[in-house]
Amino acid sequence: MASSSLPLPSSSERLSLSFRSPPSPSLTPEMKDGEYSNWSELPTELTSSILQRLGPIEVLENAQKVCTSWRRVSKDPAMWRKIVMHKVEGLGCNLDIMCRHAVDRSQGGLVEIEIWDFGTDSLINYIADSSSGLRSLKLAKSFQVTDDGLTEAVVKLPYLEELEVSNTSILSAKSLKVLGQSCPNLKTFKLNQRGFLRPRIQSDDDALAIAETMHGLRHLQLFGNILSDVGLNAILDNCPNLEHLDLRQCFNVNLLGDLEKRCDERIKVFRRPNDSTYDYPYDATAIDIFSDEVVFRLMPDANYYPDLMAGSDYSDYDPTDDYDF
């Protein structure tokens, strides 16, 4: 009996078939095998997970306008327990207002907030007034946030466990004491700035304030601080739980005597003053006030300063002089 099966395709036909593109799916396919016909039909928890990966600016500017279900999810306070906002060049919106709106959506449930390249005393205090349970506050390059404004905000945050102030206003030793006394649960503190190669101005005020009031610290980063071995010893004496210590570009720390051994034995992760800055997320260019670039900004016509250009040893340099950069 003749077989009723169809003939198999030839090898050339099979090769041709293997390179054919799959058919383009419909923009709104019917639900099939657990797939959803469009974005609006995704489960709420999946939509929430997607929107959280976008970030607050993208959600407020775009995603919440996609459909009714996305807008509903975007208003869930659980979406706003963590807020990370970086200034975006060319973004035509007021980040101060947008940040306040994001804080409002948390309905007091904000736990973590990170702000880059913007921020004011008023905004930081608005956050503190609205989110007394805040656990983590990170400020980077927020130059309009002042010492007094930040201190006023932090005293309203008794549950704060992590604070970062990087390349922002420099906190005074007095403010650091208030901070330590107001936030007894503080475990991580980062106070970062660009290091000073020259002049070597030295002060242990910050270190002593930390040692006096922040006994529960586990992670401490003082990138570019002007503390010395004296301040470092005080921190080691008074912060018994310290596990991570970053002193990169702290050029007054010399680790004399048994200090380096003490750090190695006590600290799990210890970054020394001259260690690599490859993983530091901010500008790590150390300031040298006597470099050619700075000298010419201070004194644009070198002909008026023959001694300086000839190689002065700067023995008459007065570190109390005020220079307007």
Side-chain angles (χ1 to χ4, degrees):
M1 177 186 293
S3 173
S4 62
S5 60
L6 295 174
L8 294 173
S10 66
S11 59
S12 60
E13 288 173 328
R14 288 198 301 270
L15 183 63
S16 175
L17 287 170
S18 68
F19 280 94
R20 290 180 184 174
S21 300
S24 300
S26 170
L27 292 177
T28 56
E30 295 180 0
M31 186 171 179
K32 180 180 178 181
D33 297 331
E35 297 179 357
Y36 293 87
S37 62
N38 56 56
W39 289 101
S40 65
E41 294 184 6
L42 292 173
T44 299
E45 60 273 14
L46 183 54
T47 301
S48 177
S49 178
I50 293 171
L51 297 187
Q52 285 176 340
R53 285 168 169 76
L54 293 178
I57 295 177
E58 291 82 359
V59 171
L60 294 174
E61 282 290 286
N62 300 304
Q64 70 170 355
K65 303 172 185 177
V66 169
C67 60
T68 302
S69 64
W70 280 35
R71 183 166 181 81
R72 183 175 61 252
V73 172
S74 74
K75 291 186 175 182
D76 182 357
M79 276 280 301
W80 306 95
R81 289 171 58 82
K82 179 178 181 179
I83 297 172
V84 178
M85 295 187 71
H86 294 202
K87 184 178 180 180
V88 179
E89 293 299 330
L91 184 66
C93 62
N94 188 316
L95 287 180
D96 187 288
I97 294 175
M98 182 177 288
C99 187
R100 291 171 191 253
H101 186 53
V103 171
D104 290 343
R105 288 200 174 186
S106 74
Q107 296 184 17
L110 183 63
V111 176
E112 303 176 48
I113 188 163
E114 178 178 328
I115 293 174
W116 283 53
D117 291 302
F118 74 100
T120 61
D121 290 349
S122 175
L123 175 60
I124 301 305
N125 276 275
Y126 185 85
I127 294 168
D129 290 334
S130 305
S131 314
S132 60
L134 195 69
R135 297 301 200 271
S136 175
L137 172 62
K138 298 180 182 180
L139 301 174
K141 298 186 287 184
S142 301
F143 299 111
Q144 295 185 54
V145 177
T146 68
D147 183 23
D148 291 341
L150 182 56
T151 305
E152 182 185 350
V154 167
V155 298
K156 306 170 188 174
L157 302 171
Y159 300 107
L160 203 64
E161 297 177 0
E162 180 178 12
L163 176 64
E164 177 176 347
V165 184
S166 294
N167 293 21
T168 304
S169 57
I170 299 175
L171 291 173
S172 66
K174 180 180 178 181
S175 294
L176 290 176
K177 288 184 180 181
V178 173
L179 165 63
Q181 293 164 351
S182 304
C183 304
N185 298 315
L186 200 65
K187 301 291 190 299
T188 298
F189 183 46
K190 298 181 180 182
L191 183 65
N192 301 323
Q193 57 192 331
R194 290 172 62 188
F196 268 88
L197 276 173
R198 294 184 297 175
R200 289 294 179 85
I201 304 171
Q202 178 178 310
S203 172
D204 289 302
D205 291 349
D206 292 351
L208 296 177
I210 291 169
E212 181 180 338
T213 62
M214 302 183 193
H215 307 303
L217 285 181
R218 296 183 181 275
H219 304 263
L220 177 61
Q221 185 175 57
L222 295 174
F223 195 104
N225 198 271
I226 57 175
L227 83 162
S228 70
D229 287 2
V230 173
L232 176 54
N233 268 308
I235 290 173
L236 294 176
D237 288 340
N238 293 278
C239 301
N241 300 319
L242 201 60
E243 299 176 354
H244 295 74
L245 178 60
D246 188 347
L247 298 179
R248 284 177 291 178
Q249 292 198 5
C250 296
F251 297 120
N252 296 319
V253 172
N254 298 305
L255 301 173
L256 299 178
D258 66 346
L259 186 53
E260 184 166 18
K261 179 182 177 182
R262 191 179 179 199
C263 289
D264 289 337
E265 292 176 348
R266 277 276 316 279
I267 309 300
K268 291 182 179 179
V269 179
F270 177 45
R271 310 295 292 272
R272 292 165 171 76
N274 292 306
D275 280 358
S276 171
T277 61
Y278 76 95
D279 60 345
Y280 185 66
Y282 312 109
D283 184 2
T285 306
I287 297 172
D288 184 349
I289 201 171
F290 301 128
S291 69
D292 290 343
E293 177 185 357
V294 176
V295 165
F296 278 99
R297 286 174 63 193
L298 290 173
M299 313 171 204
D301 190 343
N303 293 327
Y304 288 104
Y305 304 94
D307 293 337
L308 181 61
M309 295 300 105
S312 169
D313 63 358
Y314 311 109
S315 58
D316 59 347
Y317 169 73
D318 182 359
T320 62
D321 284 347
D322 292 324
Y323 293 101
D324 183 10
F325 293 103

